[in-house]
Amino acid sequence: MREIVLKTPSCDSVIYCGAGAFDEYAPSVAGEQLFVVTDTNVYELYEKLIKKTFGEKIFVLEAGEESKNPENLLKILRAMLDGGMRRNCRVIAFGGGVVGDIAGLAASLYMRGVRLTQVPTTLLAQVDSSVGGKTAVDMGGVKNILGAFYQPEKVVCDPRFLDTLPEREIKCGLGEIVKYGALDGNIYSKLMDNAGNLAARSFLEDIIYDCVAYKAEVVKKDERDLSGARKALNLGHTTGHAFELYYGGKSHGECVLIGAYYELYIARKYGICGGYYADNLEKLILGVLKAKPVCADADKAAQIAVHDKKNDDENISLIVPEREGVCREIKIGLTEYKTLLAECARAAGGGK
Ligand code: NAD
Ligand code: GLY
């Protein structure tokens, strides 16, 4: 197990990464007042472990993105109040990114903030959502529109939880890992070296640490997403979030990858990214997606992207790959964006 300390102005967040992380962490919360948030799937698999380690105060959300809403946030807060949670209690977010985001927001609000531990149980949550303090719920069809920056005091990234993860969720986590590959030369090289075997456990254990270490460095520089450094972590996300809402049933990580595919197309069109590098990146993306991502109504997807928080005025903001380890932000008008999405959709074999 390895440890990363993410120092930010608000808090030192300690991240334990690797096999054995959970067992090493668990004894440290003995005697604390704990409140667990999890979801139905995770609870079914880990009820015994949760109860043995953290006790009986548990809020179980219905699994799925639809649960990340203000109504459930209030229900969690109400359950904390009814459960007699005090100022020095600790919220344990035990689950994937949905649980982490809503439980993190609840921890930030209850009594103006109580301690938070993230125990991410999906690959996506281990490499991304549990680290860095972004918490949120969705509202009115807009993703993450209500939220707060609230650093977890501890994050416990233990690969043991990946053993029960469906293949689809591994693919979803790989989506965010490929995103890191477009941002960081070291991660890119490892992805290229292991391209045929990205889901292998030994590879994942190693790459989880690299992704977390990379993200921690970015968040250290720009905790509140103000200077632009953290914005880069949104590669693939503007279009990806739109597809997430457009498709309905697809997972976040998969949509990020679909977003990265469309945004790479745009970067190529603008002459920002090309040659072997663009070809390799496309192969990496398609290697995980398994098929070119089709979109029947690119206009609709583009219209959804307008609501992304990164946009200003009429322009769509995208983080696009340039060359190995280098990305940049571009802003394009909505009409141009719609045209390019539709073009890419047609090239992928769908669209009008
Ligand atoms: P998720 O939380 O919905 O989990 C995916 C599925 O896996 C669910 O069905 C869940 O029940 C199941 N699951 C979780 N752990 C399991 C395990 N160990 N074994 C078997 N099944 C398990 O989705 P996710 O992909 O983890 O997270 C997506 C969410 O994260 C989105 O809401 C997204 O907006 C958010 N996100 C947040 C950040 C951030 O910085 N806060 C970053 C990226 C994504
Ligand atoms: N997942 C993007 C961020 O944490 O900033």
Side-chain angles (χ1 to χ4, degrees):
M1 183 197 81
R2 291 183 277 180
E3 201 176 301
I4 295 165
V5 181
L6 164 50
K7 283 184 186 295
T8 62
S10 56
C11 160
D12 280 4
S13 188
V14 182
I15 304 150
Y16 306 108
C17 250
F22 186 80
D23 287 341
E24 282 209 33
Y25 171 71
S28 72
V29 292
E32 290 187 13
Q33 193 187 32
L34 304 170
F35 187 89
V36 180
V37 181
T38 188
D39 75 21
T40 42
N41 293 337
V42 178
Y43 192 59
E44 201 179 315
L45 290 162
Y46 296 104
E47 178 181 355
K48 261 197 195 141
L49 181 73
I50 291 173
K51 286 186 170 161
K52 186 176 92 174
T53 317
F54 302 123
E56 301 275 339
K57 290 200 168 130
I58 304 164
F59 188 99
V60 186
L61 286 163
E62 199 57 49
E65 179 72 24
E66 300 70 36
S67 285
K68 219 176 92 173
N69 62 46
E71 293 75 28
N72 280 333
L73 174 68
L74 287 180
K75 281 185 192 159
I76 293 171
L77 291 167
R78 182 70 208 211
M80 289 176 72
L81 181 64
D82 293 346
M85 292 295 119
R86 297 184 295 274
R87 180 82 193 83
N88 63 352
C89 74
R90 179 186 296 276
V91 171
I92 309 278
F94 193 104
V98 165
V99 164
D101 278 11
I102 193 169
L105 187 55
S108 81
L109 291 170
Y110 192 72
M111 295 190 180
R112 298 199 182 91
V114 295
R115 285 177 297 179
L116 169 67
T117 292
Q118 293 274 0
V119 184
T121 61
T122 61
L123 181 58
L124 179 138
Q126 295 198 358
V127 294
D128 192 357
S129 62
S130 63
V131 173
K134 279 191 180 175
T135 71
V137 292
D138 310 332
M139 188 173 70
V142 186
K143 270 201 60 94
N144 300 331
I145 195 70
L146 300 182
F149 288 97
Y150 195 69
Q151 293 298 339
E153 191 190 68
K154 310 279 186 212
V155 183
V156 187
C157 286
D158 193 321
R160 71 187 274 180
F161 299 115
L162 306 183
D163 290 346
T164 53
L165 210 55
E167 201 183 321
R168 174 176 184 262
E169 299 305 332
I170 295 284
K171 179 175 174 182
C172 175
L174 284 173
E176 294 285 358
I177 294 173
V178 170
K179 171 198 82 176
Y180 285 111
L183 297 170
D184 178 67
N186 167 47
I187 296 175
Y188 173 73
S189 303
K190 287 193 180 179
L191 286 170
M192 291 304 293
D193 291 346
N194 292 276
N197 213 7
L198 296 182
R201 175 69 174 266
S202 56
F203 173 71
L204 289 179
E205 282 204 41
D206 184 48
I207 208 79
I208 289 168
Y209 177 85
D210 290 339
C211 293
V212 169
Y214 178 82
K215 181 164 183 180
E217 280 308 308
V218 173
V219 175
K220 247 183 226 172
K221 287 185 210 139
D222 184 20
E223 183 189 16
R224 303 246 149 188
D225 221 344
L226 294 173
S227 74
R230 189 165 182 170
K231 215 173 184 182
L233 296 176
N234 285 309
L235 186 137
H237 280 63
T238 303
T239 310
H241 277 166
F243 280 130
E244 206 172 332
L245 293 166
Y246 167 81
Y247 285 123
K250 277 206 196 316
S251 63
H252 175 81
E254 193 175 358
C255 288
V256 166
L257 214 47
I258 295 173
Y261 179 83
Y262 278 74
E263 292 178 11
L264 174 62
Y265 180 89
I266 293 173
R268 274 177 153 151
K269 275 280 168 178
Y270 278 87
I272 295 169
C273 188
Y276 284 133
Y277 178 63
D279 292 347
N280 285 341
L281 211 50
E282 184 179 323
K283 272 189 212 141
L284 266 179
I285 294 171
L286 292 178
V288 178
L289 286 177
K290 307 283 185 227
K292 287 191 176 176
V294 175
C295 168
D297 191 348
D299 257 23
K300 189 173 167 199
Q303 205 56 54
I304 300 173
V306 171
H307 295 292
D308 193 275
K309 295 189 292 304
K310 294 178 290 305
N311 301 329
D312 55 48
D313 307 324
E314 293 299 291
N315 290 319
I316 306 285
S317 161
L318 306 173
I319 310 295
V320 295
E322 194 176 335
R323 55 183 197 280
E324 203 175 314
V326 180
C327 295
R328 73 155 93 144
E329 183 181 12
I330 59 166
K331 293 186 185 234
I332 60 176
L334 178 60
T335 314
E336 174 84 348
Y337 180 65
K338 276 184 179 171
T339 307
L340 290 170
L341 279 198
E343 239 181 71
C344 181
R346 276 196 299 277
K352 297 174 189 170

